[in-house]
Amino acid sequence: MKKTIGEIIKDEVNRKGLKAEQFGELINCERENVYKIYKRTNMSVLQLKEISKALDHNFFEDIVNNNIEMEDPEVMRDFYNRRAVSQFMEIVPQVLEDLDVEPTISFGRPKGIEKDIKIPDFTLTDYFITFTVGETFMERSPEHCKKSFIGYDVKNKDNIEIEVLHNEWVKQNMPLSNPVQINIKLDYKTKEEWIKTLKFAFEIYDYCKRINRIRL
């Protein structure tokens, strides 16, 4: 059985012979919150960077090596995708900062999502922008997409392609919420390619939000 990110962190704390209070001091965290970290199944990339630095351990390598549970273990075994995920974690937070966007990326399964539903691997938490490793979201979860979304691919003049998915349930039942999800296939991209891809994703995201407001 694969371990969660919280369990991996707890194992490393124990391996280093630290008590919860000592680990908490390293990351400026109360003892009770340390125990909450141990129970976490998802976490922002920025928080994991802090913990990696505090414990002098690269937890991102654990993710890339598939020691931490992700949505599609088969994909993560492929070298090309390992390289893509590692590069994504290294480059994208900085690209987001350069674009003046809050660089909080989370991974793992949020509470309340049924386990039989295949979900994206990473989420830009302040936006409804997601990332799926090695495949599109419609390829990963065709039945769920067919049931819950109207989805289509969009390309720009640079031939950059992203998925745009409209959540019909949200549109009908939560008219004040944004029903649009942007998904990006996470494969290996240069920094320049990531800049262009994310700029395009935000352009489409903002356009869809404006259209939704007009309809309201």
Side-chain angles (χ1 to χ4, degrees):
M1 183 177 178
K2 295 185 181 300
K3 292 186 176 182
T4 65
I5 183 59
E7 291 169 337
I8 291 288
I9 291 170
K10 182 179 180 180
D11 286 348
E12 183 62 20
V13 171
N14 291 337
R15 192 183 71 81
K16 284 187 162 55
L18 298 174
K19 295 181 179 180
E21 295 90 340
Q22 294 172 309
F23 173 45
E25 289 176 2
L26 290 174
I27 59 174
N28 194 26
C29 182
E30 297 291 334
R31 178 181 175 180
E32 62 182 41
N33 290 327
V34 167
Y35 291 118
K36 289 180 181 178
I37 289 174
Y38 292 162
K39 295 179 180 178
R40 295 282 295 275
T41 58
N42 57 58
M43 185 174 295
S44 76
V45 170
L46 290 181
Q47 184 178 22
L48 193 57
K49 273 188 174 182
E50 290 182 16
I51 294 174
S52 294
K53 183 177 180 181
L55 292 177
D56 192 25
H57 178 87
N58 190 343
F59 290 101
F60 297 109
E61 287 188 1
D62 293 330
I63 296 171
V64 172
N65 291 330
N66 199 28
N67 291 326
I68 294 177
E69 183 175 4
M70 294 187 70
E71 281 306 308
D72 194 342
E74 294 297 324
V75 171
M76 299 306 296
R77 292 193 185 98
D78 181 86
F79 173 78
Y80 183 84
N81 287 325
R82 291 183 190 218
R83 181 170 172 253
V85 171
S86 180
Q87 187 247 21
F88 169 83
M89 290 180 171
E90 180 180 351
I91 288 179
V92 169
Q94 184 58 57
V95 170
L96 292 170
E97 287 186 357
D98 292 344
L99 295 176
D100 198 27
V101 174
E102 176 60 38
T104 303
I105 304 168
S106 64
F107 59 91
R109 181 175 293 273
K111 292 182 179 179
I113 301 295
E114 297 176 15
K115 289 189 176 181
D116 61 339
I117 296 177
K118 295 181 179 180
I119 64 172
D121 296 298
F122 300 93
T123 303
L124 191 55
T125 53
D126 288 344
Y127 303 84
F128 217 13
I129 297 177
T130 59
F131 305 85
T132 42
V133 177
E135 59 189 345
T136 67
F137 188 29
M138 287 185 280
E139 290 170 340
R140 168 169 297 184
S141 192
E143 292 303 317
H144 177 57
C145 286
K146 183 178 179 181
K147 179 181 177 181
S148 304
F149 296 94
I150 294 176
Y152 49 89
D153 297 327
V154 178
K155 284 186 179 181
N156 66 3
K157 59 182 177 61
D158 294 319
N159 209 34
I160 293 171
E161 185 173 296
I162 61 175
E163 288 179 289
V164 180
L165 302 113
H166 292 263
N167 190 316
E168 290 301 291
W169 186 91
V170 170
K171 184 177 179 180
Q172 295 296 326
N173 296 279
M174 302 173 66
L176 296 180
S177 299
N178 181 23
V180 176
Q181 174 182 339
I182 305 296
N183 188 72
I184 299 170
K185 179 180 177 181
L186 198 168
D187 51 14
Y188 190 85
K189 297 177 177 66
T190 65
K191 183 175 181 179
E192 184 61 31
E193 288 171 335
W194 271 117
I195 291 172
K196 291 181 178 179
T197 300
L198 288 167
K199 279 184 176 180
F200 182 43
F202 282 113
E203 287 173 4
I204 298 299
Y205 180 84
D206 290 339
Y207 172 77
C208 291
K209 283 185 67 176
R210 290 197 302 271
I211 293 298
N212 190 51
R213 289 195 191 101
I214 292 171
R215 287 175 180 170
L216 294 177

